[in-house]
Amino acid sequence: MKMWSGRFRQPPDSDFERWQRSFDFDRRLLTHELAASSAHARALANAGILSSSELISILQGLERIAEQAAVSPAFLEDSEAEDVHHFVEKNLVHLIGDTGYKLHSGRSRNEQIATDLRLYVRVCIDQLRAELAECLDALVEGAQRAGNAAMPAYTHLQRAEPVLMSHWLLAYVEMFIRDADRLVDCRKRLNFCPLGSGAVAGTTLPLDRRAMAIDLGFDAPTLNSIDATGDRDFVLEFVNALSMVGLHLSRWAEEMILFSSQEFDFVRLPEAYSTGSSAMPQKKNPDLLELTRGKAARIIGAATALAVTLKGLPLAYNKDLQETQEPLFDAAETVLALIPLVTNWMKAVEFNLDRMREAAQSGFMNAWAAATYLVQRGVPFRLAHEQVGKAVQLCLEKSCELQDLSVQELRQLNPLFDEDFYSCLDLTSVLALHDVPGGTAPGQVQRAVADAKRRIEFIREEAHAHA
Ligand code: ARG
């Protein structure tokens, strides 16, 4: 039986009817729909609408549906169900008879879908945080393994200054920790229960909204029935948070692709996550990285689709809201599948440390350190900058590095240059010079690694606390 046929004289056009259904995708929400329905049934019993035997039979019926769905995927191949809410009602009535129709007393699918989606997003957030913690572990382990290995850092994609490889990897750690934080924040804001909001004005039965909220692990009931049934901010916020994850993964992937090219030769692509060419026998291509970069577009696309779907909607529920589901599912499933692959790639990758160190020692990346030498001897920085710039010019003419200039040559530029200048220029000294919190001096990076580990442990504990 349809959920709404009474006032109609004509059946719906069959093409239209099939086209407007959502069961093909909202079947993902079945467990949440069953949990929310059980909470609603308990509230109905407490309000005296269901007898205790009716409650028991409804709860058992709902459980039976969960079991059947778990054992037989074919059970979900229902050609008649309009959506997941209709599917549950139909099957419940099939299992326990007309008492099943009592479950829909005092509720609307508008509050149900709003509730199911919040539950779905909440589970995704907890899974994602656990996955991000693993990914962060892999990065920090890489940072620890790197020890004091150095590499060039780039600005404008031109060699800028040497840094510790671990410092570079920790830059990604910061991005992914921010992403995990954003998800926590999103979870806090969504964890309120729409049940009892009815279609738009609140339910018509004296249901204990607080009890339903607690039952489903929400912090409290939502505060306005119009907002609760018309709101998908939490979906948009979540997918926006995902698009930041995608964006960070994409930047990471791009850098790895670049670094794996023969021109850089910093990164040795793990064979298990690369593919060959059907034409060129020598090729090893960074497919995992390229697809990671490509998936980001899809996630950002989902976030855009959601924003555009919501922007013109009057309050409260409109069927347009059904269109928020597929971008949500697609973005969530894309990122959930992506992070473990990226984590394993990070564990498998090898770096060409010799090549990176070599690159960290040429191209005048000690020029700022050279200017600092003069600053420490009282020279105004702008002048020191100019004089070291001239030294670089001289080196370019002679095809050498700053440390290859003689004291005489240097003194032409500034008489304060002395023999001790050279010891400021080697890689170790240049790295050690950046001795501030957040800088690349080895002691600072060691502390940063320890600090990152603590913060990641916290993310993991929090994710598990909710799981
Ligand atoms: N399948 C619908 C959706 O996803 C459920 C809510 C239907 N509500 C309604 N008034 N037709 O949005």
Side-chain angles (χ1 to χ4, degrees):
M1 185 171 170
K2 284 225 144 315
M3 295 182 95
W4 43 264
S5 51
R7 66 94 68 214
F8 287 84
R9 279 170 303 188
Q10 259 187 25
D13 172 85
S14 60
D15 288 340
F16 161 68
E17 204 283 323
R18 255 195 311 280
W19 173 79
Q20 57 94 45
R21 289 180 196 167
S22 52
F23 189 55
D24 261 354
F25 46 88
D26 70 13
R27 62 181 63 184
R28 286 174 180 75
L29 302 173
L30 183 64
T31 17
H32 305 307
E33 173 71 9
L34 293 170
S37 291
S38 304
H40 177 72
R42 281 188 278 272
L44 283 175
N46 283 335
I49 307 293
L50 294 179
S51 69
S52 54
S53 65
E54 284 170 333
L55 172 65
I56 289 170
S57 126
I58 287 179
L59 292 180
Q60 283 173 345
L62 294 172
E63 230 165 84
R64 207 53 212 102
I65 295 173
E67 284 161 14
Q68 275 178 301
V71 297
S72 139
F75 173 59
L76 288 168
E77 294 311 317
D78 185 330
S79 57
E80 297 300 311
E82 181 173 326
D83 55 23
V84 67
H85 322 292
H86 186 212
F87 176 82
V88 169
E89 181 173 285
K90 270 180 61 202
N91 280 282
L92 189 61
V93 170
H94 178 71
L95 286 166
I96 68 167
D98 278 1
T99 304
Y101 286 128
K102 286 201 168 186
L103 177 61
H104 208 58
S105 315
R107 74 172 182 178
S108 155
R109 285 183 294 166
N110 300 352
E111 61 181 305
Q112 285 172 255
I113 187 62
T115 305
D116 295 355
L117 287 174
R118 282 175 192 246
L119 291 170
Y120 173 87
V121 173
R122 201 173 70 182
V123 169
C124 289
I125 288 178
D126 294 338
Q127 285 173 352
L128 282 165
R129 278 157 61 202
E131 284 187 358
L132 277 173
E134 293 292 309
C135 180
L136 285 160
D137 273 347
L139 278 166
V140 171
E141 274 159 28
Q144 275 178 309
R145 258 199 318 275
N148 280 342
M151 65 184 284
Y154 299 82
T155 65
H156 312 265
L157 205 49
Q158 307 289 321
R159 282 187 193 173
E161 291 188 275
V163 288
L164 288 183
M165 241 183 89
S166 45
H167 193 52
W168 168 64
L169 290 172
L170 286 180
Y172 288 107
V173 168
E174 289 306 316
M175 294 183 213
F176 295 129
I177 287 183
R178 281 200 295 278
D179 290 335
D181 282 351
R182 238 184 306 275
L183 291 169
V184 175
D185 200 46
C186 175
R187 191 187 199 283
K188 260 186 241 154
R189 241 186 311 282
L190 74 73
N191 206 27
F192 297 92
C193 185
L195 289 191
S197 298
V200 62
T203 176
T204 53
L205 297 173
L207 302 181
D208 184 344
R209 294 198 60 209
R210 177 156 288 281
M212 290 192 284
I214 302 298
D215 207 341
L216 292 169
F218 287 109
D219 293 332
T222 50
L223 292 176
N224 181 294
S225 61
I226 305 174
D227 176 51
T229 48
D231 169 44
R232 293 293 182 274
D233 286 2
F234 62 96
V235 174
L236 179 59
E237 202 177 334
F238 172 61
V239 177
N240 274 328
L242 290 184
S243 67
M244 295 281 283
V245 176
L247 188 148
H248 288 150
L249 287 173
S250 180
R251 291 186 73 172
W252 167 83
E254 167 58 18
E255 192 155 64
M256 295 297 165
I257 291 169
L258 201 61
F259 285 179
S260 72
S261 73
Q262 283 75 4
E263 282 65 22
F264 274 88
D265 193 22
F266 289 175
V267 166
R268 297 202 179 104
L269 294 173
E271 290 195 3
Y273 299 98
S274 308
T275 63
S277 155
S278 61
M280 297 166 282
Q282 85 283 10
K283 290 298 288 293
K284 181 168 70 167
N285 294 328
D287 292 41
L288 181 139
L289 301 169
E290 291 168 302
L291 281 174
T292 299
R293 198 174 50 187
K295 297 282 181 199
R298 177 171 172 153
I299 304 159
I300 294 165
T304 307
L306 287 167
V308 180
T309 304
L310 297 175
K311 82 167 267 299
L313 289 188
L315 288 174
Y317 178 82
N318 298 271
K319 188 93 171 209
D320 313 42
L321 291 179
Q322 187 167 287
E323 287 293 306
T324 61
Q325 293 187 35
E326 283 168 291
L328 164 66
F329 298 146
D330 189 59
E333 285 164 18
T334 299
V335 180
L336 280 165
L338 187 52
I339 298 176
L341 285 165
V342 164
T343 303
N344 289 337
W345 189 97
M346 284 176 185
K347 288 183 183 160
V349 70
E350 282 172 25
F351 294 100
N352 187 348
L353 300 182
D354 292 341
R355 170 98 180 143
M356 289 168 106
R357 190 183 334 96
E358 206 179 289
Q361 297 189 91
S362 53
F364 312 107
M365 284 197 290
N366 47 12
W368 194 2
T372 305
Y373 172 88
L374 291 178
V375 167
Q376 278 158 350
R377 279 151 194 77
V379 180
F381 177 72
R382 188 54 53 224
L383 298 181
H385 184 287
E386 189 67 17
Q387 289 154 4
V388 174
K390 288 274 178 284
V392 168
Q393 210 181 80
L394 183 60
C395 290
L396 286 170
E397 280 161 22
K398 299 180 58 176
S399 299
C400 67
E401 293 280 335
L402 287 171
Q403 53 272 31
D404 302 321
L405 296 178
S406 67
V407 182
Q408 289 70 21
E409 284 169 312
L410 289 162
R411 284 197 177 141
Q412 306 268 301
L413 299 164
N414 190 319
L416 288 170
F417 278 116
D418 214 334
E419 286 299 340
D420 60 353
F421 173 63
Y422 298 98
S423 66
C424 302
L425 296 183
D426 63 65
L427 182 58
T428 314
S429 312
V430 177
L431 289 169
L433 191 60
H434 297 78
D435 193 12
V436 286
T440 198
Q444 299 288 354
V445 176
Q446 231 167 35
R447 266 192 291 283
V449 167
D451 182 57
K453 280 177 133 177
R454 264 195 305 280
R455 287 147 74 209
I456 295 165
E457 211 31 60
F458 183 68
I459 293 171
R460 177 175 295 104
E461 276 165 21
E462 266 209 316
H464 287 166
H466 289 304

